[in-house]
Amino acid sequence: MSLVDKTNKVVLDLVKCYLKGSLAFHLEPEEAKVMCWDNQQAFVNATIHNQLLQNYPVNNEFSKLFFKKLIDCIKSYHEIHDDFYTFLCFLMNKESLNTFCHRHYVLNNDTRNIITIMETNNMVVNGTTGMRTWEAALTLADWALSNKDVFAHKKVVELGSGVGFTGITIAKECNLESIVLTDCHNDVLKTIKRNIEINFPKLNNSDDAQPDAVSNIDVMMLDWNDAEDLKNNLVPDILIGADIVYDPSILQPLCNVIKSFFDKNDLLEVYIASMIRNVDTFNSFLEALEYNEFKYFKLAQENCVFIEWDDNNKQRCTLKIIKNK
Ligand SMILES: C[S@@+](CC[C@H](N)C(=O)[O-])C[C@H]1O[C@@H](n2cnc3c(N)ncnc32)[C@H](O)[C@@H]1O
């Protein structure tokens, strides 16, 4: 790797950590030495001076910790850029209890191609786990971006969309005919709508439509406990879901809703990504699929391709489910 490439990589890795809200960075002395004034300038230009982040700031508390840690890493080697301190002072004066923040997910290492999601840091808010992006949402979106032909010109429905990262990413990148993001919680549905507005700002302006994005993106209340109430005209080619297999009490309702969609379309393909926190729960889901006479395949997904996720965690599985004819 050339010196320029090494330098760019140090700055890019820091930018990506900041955008996704991660403090898990570490600079070896030779990497810290790379962070001279000009490279600190490049870092602030790509983060706090970037218009996207000014419109949709990341969490205050996280920002403070990030800048303090970065200053600690660099200060033995270089003068610290004025903008670092100015920004820290600005954060100190701000109310720090903002429940919602924005995370910026970089696609394909390209900081011009970002999905911005308004979400919280909390695992449960108002009784729902849907107010943050979970790891399985990243793995499923990454699988979709690596298999775009599966999704091209297809009608997609997402179950348990949460804040909407997977559905929005697929809508932007996979040339769909349409997509409906669904969930059972009103606050979650409102947040998905906001995230669609953020990521498709021109959607309502037909003169200025984004050529690469699906214009037919919708949000709908869908509770798996009411599978019999599915709209007649909702007939997807593909059903997706990320991190929806975690509560033993909803496995049968989840299977019922999958079955209702199979009843409308024999050729339906279902893709469900899971983080396996409890092996018994996951195995019960597999048994429920067999009991309902669905056929499933475990899809190979060893490493991150277009989206970063923790590929060291092997307790995960993405399933393709079809009807057993
Ligand atoms: C762990 S979150 C996953 C959210 C998102 N897919 C992700 O991976 O970031 C589970 C989601 O399933 C939704 N959910 C749970 N039970 C549901 C039900 N009975 N009907 C519809 N959605 C449900 C929750 O509201 C929540 O948004």
Side-chain angles (χ1 to χ4, degrees), residues 166-178:
T166 308
I168 289 172
T169 305
I170 293 178
K172 270 202 122 163
E173 299 289 320
C174 293
N175 200 18
L176 308 178
E177 179 177 327
S178 66

Side-chain angles (χ1 to χ4, degrees), residues 137 140 156-164 166-167 179-184 188-189 192 220-224 227 230 234 236 238-246 250 253-261 268-273 285 321:
L140 184 56
V156 178
V157 168
E158 181 175 17
L159 300 176
S161 295
V163 284
T166 308
I179 183 162
V180 183
L181 281 70
T182 74
D183 208 278
C184 64
V188 172
L189 294 171
I192 302 177
M220 199 184 95
M221 163 71 78
L222 196 170
D223 188 329
W224 311 327
L230 284 182
L234 194 64
I238 295 184
L239 198 58
I240 57 170
D243 211 339
I244 53 176
V245 179
Y246 58 95
I250 43 133
L254 181 57
C255 284
N256 293 345
V257 91
I258 295 173
K259 182 171 182 317
S260 303
F261 279 112
L268 177 75
E269 294 178 4
V270 185
Y271 296 93
I272 294 183
F285 179 61
I321 304 163

Side-chain angles (χ1 to χ4, degrees), residues 28-43:
E28 294 294 340
E30 60 275 19
E31 292 170 320
K33 282 180 196 157
V34 162
M35 290 305 288
C36 61
W37 187 278
D38 284 352
N39 288 329
Q40 292 176 50
Q41 182 74 58
F43 175 78

Side-chain angles (χ1 to χ4, degrees), residues 44 64 69 74 77 98 116 125 141 149-150 153 164 201 210 228 238 267 273 291:
V44 289
K64 268 189 237 167
K69 181 170 173 184
I74 304 173
Y77 307 98
N98 55 347
T116 296
V125 178
D149 49 325
V150 170
H153 313 295
Q210 289 172 309
E228 62 280 4
I238 295 184
L267 298 176
Y291 177 80

